């Protein structure tokens, strides 16, 4: 996604790191760059607003559910693998029955 306009911070960089921004997991200097970008770029601002709304909805609907310790460990392990640049094996991606079970329980 891009608005087609030149920006100091490229749209692809903003969208690639959007969740780090939403979760306050980036340096203040990067946050400032993203805020400036959102002021200039309505498509990225719209995407930010949508992701922020989804995050709030998930927190409201599932925020009080206890996550099984082993599921949390699996998810965090996969996040660590992805962040370190390793590919997640295909069977790991498709074998997410624990996540499906938790999601189904949350919807009940």
């Amino acid at each position: 996604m891009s608005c087609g306009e030149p920006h100091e911070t490229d749209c692809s960089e903003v969208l690639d790191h959007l969740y780090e921004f939403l979760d306050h997991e980036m340096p203040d200097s990067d946050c400032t760059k993203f805020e400036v970008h959102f002021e200039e770029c309505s498509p990225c601002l719209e995407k930010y607003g949508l992701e922020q709304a989804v995050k709030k909805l998930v927190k409201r609907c599932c925020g009080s559910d206890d996550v099984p310790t082993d599921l949390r460990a699996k998810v965090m392990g996969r996040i660590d693998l992805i962040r370190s640049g390793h590919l997640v094996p295909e069977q790991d991606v498709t074998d997410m029955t624990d996540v499906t079970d938790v999601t189904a329980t949350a919807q009940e």
Side-chain angles (χ1 to χ4, degrees), residues 3-68:
C3 65
E5 300 293 325
H7 300 285
E8 184 176 327
T9 306
D10 191 59
C11 293
S12 62
E13 179 183 349
V14 171
L15 297 176
D16 287 347
H17 299 280
L18 185 57
Y19 279 98
E20 292 171 59
F21 179 80
L22 280 167
D23 295 336
H24 309 287
E25 295 177 344
M26 60 178 22
D28 289 341
S29 59
D30 289 340
C31 288
T32 302
K33 288 187 339 184
F34 279 42
E35 290 164 356
V36 168
H37 183 91
F38 293 136
E39 290 174 7
E40 301 172 345
C41 183
S42 60
C44 288
L45 178 62
E46 184 177 331
K47 179 70 173 168
Y48 164 73
L50 175 64
E51 296 300 329
Q52 186 179 42
V54 168
K55 187 174 167 91
K56 285 180 181 178
L57 178 63
V58 168
K59 183 176 182 178
R60 189 179 78 225
C61 294
C62 305
S64 61
D65 293 344
D66 291 331
V67 178

Side-chain angles (χ1 to χ4, degrees), residues 77-103:
R78 288 188 183 140
I79 289 171
D80 289 342
L81 280 173
I82 292 168
R83 285 185 174 165
S84 67
H86 293 90
L87 294 176
V88 177
E90 185 66 30
Q91 71 271 13
D92 284 353
V93 174
T94 57
D95 184 23
M96 294 292 289
T97 55
D98 291 343
V99 174
T100 305
D101 293 344
V102 170
T103 304

